[in-house]
Amino acid sequence: MNKKIFLALLGTFLIGASLGVVFTVLNPQFAENLFLNLKQIFGSKLNGVPDSFTLFKLIFLNNTRVAILAAFGGVLFGVVPLGILFFNGFLVGIVMEYSYLQGESLTKILLSILPHGIVEIPAFAIAGLGGIEWYLEIIKGEGTLGDRFRRGFRTAMRMLGIAIFMLLIAALIEAYVTPSLAGYSF
C-alpha cells in the first residue's frame, strides 16, 4: 500500500471538510439551502426506516457503491477517488458548521460523525488507493499491458475487499452505536 497516496487521499478529505466549514461561515444562506436539500434527500430515504438493521443495510449499500466507484474510478488518473473524498469532506464540513451555527453542541456533532467516520473515511481512501495503484501498475508496471492490467486489477479488488469489510464495521457503528452516543433515535 502506498502510504503517501493514502495520506494524500485522507488529506483531500480534510481539506474538503475545512473548506466546507469556511464556505459555511462565509455564505451561511447557501450552506443552509444546501443543508436543507441534503436533509430532504437523505431524510426521504430515512423516513420510514423502521429499525437499526434497515438503517445499517441502507448505509452499508450506499457506502459500498461509493467505494466501488472510488476503486474503479481510480484507474482514471486517480481523479475520481480524490473527488469523492473532497466532496464528502466538503459536505461533512458544511453539515458540521451549519449544525454548530444552529446551536448544536460540538460534542454532539463529533459524536454523530467520529465513531463511524474514523473507519468509514479510511475505507473510502483504501478503495480509491486500490484504483490508483491499478492505474499506476498499468502505466509504470513491468510486462505486457494485459499482465499489468490484471496485476493492478487484483490489487484494486483486494483493497476494495478490505474497504468493504471496513464499511461493514462503519455501518454497524453508524446504525447501532452512533444514535445512542449522539442522543438521537429514529
Side-chain angles (χ1 to χ4, degrees), residues 9-31:
L9 288 165
L10 292 179
T12 300
F13 174 84
L14 293 175
I15 290 168
S18 299
L19 290 175
V21 168
V22 170
F23 183 81
T24 303
V25 169
L26 295 177
N27 196 345
Q29 185 60 47
F30 182 82

Side-chain angles (χ1 to χ4, degrees), residues 64-144:
T64 298
R65 274 181 277 199
V66 173
I68 290 168
L69 181 62
F72 281 92
V75 80
L76 301 172
F77 316 106
V79 173
V80 174
L82 288 168
I84 288 170
L85 283 154
F86 178 83
F87 182 71
N88 277 311
F90 189 72
L91 290 179
V92 166
I94 287 173
V95 170
M96 285 179 61
E97 184 61 22
Y98 179 77
S99 299
Y100 184 73
L101 291 174
Q102 296 303 305
E104 200 64 64
S105 76
L106 185 57
T107 302
K108 185 171 182 174
I109 294 167
L110 292 176
L111 287 173
S112 297
I113 295 171
L114 286 180
H116 67 276
I118 59 173
V119 179
E120 185 176 291
I121 300 308
F124 289 140
I126 288 170
L129 176 58
I132 293 170
E133 287 193 353
W134 183 10
Y135 165 73
L136 292 174
E137 180 63 32
I138 290 170
I139 64 166
K140 292 183 177 182
E142 294 182 10
T144 67

